[in-house]
Amino acid sequence: MPHIDIKAFPRELTEQQKSELAAEMTQLMQKYLQSREGSVSVALSFVPQEQWKTTVWETEIAPQLETLIKQPDYRMS
């Protein structure tokens, strides 16, 4: 039952692009976690750059930095 929660700076994406992104993320979960297509959920939230530090970095990235399977190449002070 994977749930993928994508947070990114705002981008203009069409509904088709969002659908394609979700489909490709679902395929990855099927490939690597042997998930059923119907068990995967995907969320996409856009966070303004000026809110990234307090909304995402401090609450989600920094506290889990050592357990991330891929760390970002930036640090926020």
Side-chain angles (χ1 to χ4, degrees), residues 46-60:
F46 292 119
V47 178
Q49 186 171 355
E50 62 274 8
Q51 294 176 13
W52 189 262
K53 180 179 179 183
T54 57
T55 304
V56 180
W57 176 263
E58 291 177 353
T59 61
E60 297 185 41

Side-chain angles (χ1 to χ4, degrees), residues 21-33 37 40:
L21 174 61
E24 289 187 38
M25 299 304 295
T26 299
Q27 289 175 353
L28 289 171
M29 295 302 101
Q30 290 176 290
K31 178 178 179 179
Y32 290 102
L33 299 180
E37 179 180 3
V40 178

Side-chain angles (χ1 to χ4, degrees), residues 5-17:
D5 189 5
I6 302 168
K7 292 183 177 67
F9 291 163
R11 298 285 189 265
E12 292 292 327
L13 295 178
T14 66
E15 290 304 313
Q16 176 155 349
Q17 288 172 317

